[in-house]
Amino acid sequence: MLMKPIQPARTPDPVERHTLSILVDNEPGVLARVIGLFSGRGYNIDTLTVSETEQERHVSRITIVTTGTPMVIDQIKHQLERLVPVHRVADLTVAGEAIERELALVKVAGHGEARVEALRLAQAFGARTVDATLESFVFELTGSTSEIDRFIGLMSSIGLVEISRTGVAAISRGAEGM
C-alpha cells in the first residue's frame, strides 16, 4: 500500500494595510470609477481622500488606505492602472517610508475635573481648541492615524461626543515625485 506524504497545512497570507496614491484626471466620474473598482470586487476602503493637486493640468490625487493579502493588493494596483483616467498608481507602503497625516475634529463634553483633564490631554497631544462652550470643547488634531486613535481612546473616558476625520493624506519622502 502506497502512502501519500502528509502535506503541511497552508497558512493563509497575512492581511496587510497599504496606502495607495493615484494620480487621475480631474473630471466627472473618475472617483466613481475608482470606488466602483473596489466595491465591485468586494475590496474595502478604510480611508479615502481626494483633491486637485495640479490645477493647470487638471490632475487630482486620490489617496486610499485599504487592507488585503499581498495578492489582493497587487490585483487592486493592476486594475487601477488599467482605468482610463489614471496616470499613475504608487503603493506608498512598498515605496518606503511615506509621510501620512490625518486631521480630526473631536468634540468632548464634560464638567469640572473632566474639562480640566480634556484640556490637559489636548495640550499633551498638541491639539488646538477650535471651539469652547461652558459644556464642551472641539479639538483639532493633526497626526498619524495611530496618534489620533490614541487621543480618541483617551477622550472616550472623559466624555467623547462626536468625531469627524479627514482620512489619510500621504506623500513619499525624498526628492522624487510621484
Side-chain angles (χ1 to χ4, degrees), residues 15-166:
V15 173
E16 301 172 346
R17 176 187 181 271
H18 282 253
T19 302
L20 305 177
S21 184
I22 308 151
L23 286 182
V24 299
D25 288 336
N26 186 15
E27 59 187 39
V30 173
L31 181 60
R33 281 186 264 172
V34 170
I35 291 171
L37 184 146
F38 277 79
S39 64
R41 288 159 183 82
Y43 304 144
N44 190 43
I45 295 174
D46 294 333
T47 74
L48 169 73
T49 57
V50 183
S51 183
E52 186 173 58
T53 56
E54 297 179 43
Q55 195 169 16
E56 305 80 38
R57 292 181 45 213
H58 301 290
V59 174
S60 290
R61 178 187 297 248
I62 300 173
T63 304
I64 295 177
V65 176
T66 189
T67 54
T69 64
M71 187 177 84
V72 166
I73 298 296
D74 280 341
Q75 193 174 31
I76 289 170
K77 290 188 293 191
H78 292 305
Q79 290 171 349
L80 284 169
E81 288 167 346
R82 288 196 304 253
L83 288 178
V84 172
V86 171
H87 295 281
R88 182 146 186 239
V89 177
D91 186 342
L92 297 178
T93 305
V94 172
E97 289 290 316
I99 299 167
E100 293 187 6
R101 291 293 180 263
E102 187 175 357
L103 171 89
L105 296 173
V106 180
K107 186 183 291 184
V108 180
H111 293 72
E113 189 57 36
R115 287 179 63 80
V116 173
E117 186 61 20
L119 285 171
R120 231 182 271 139
L121 285 170
Q123 184 178 17
F125 276 83
R128 271 183 5 141
T129 304
V130 293
D131 184 57
T133 69
L134 294 174
E135 298 166 351
S136 69
F137 293 106
V138 175
F139 299 111
E140 174 188 288
L141 178 64
T142 304
S144 68
T145 299
S146 61
E147 182 180 357
I148 291 173
D149 289 342
R150 280 195 321 273
F151 182 73
I152 290 168
L154 291 169
M155 289 297 178
S156 294
S157 63
I158 294 174
L160 184 66
V161 174
E162 188 176 2
I163 305 162
S164 179
R165 295 174 81 155
T166 61

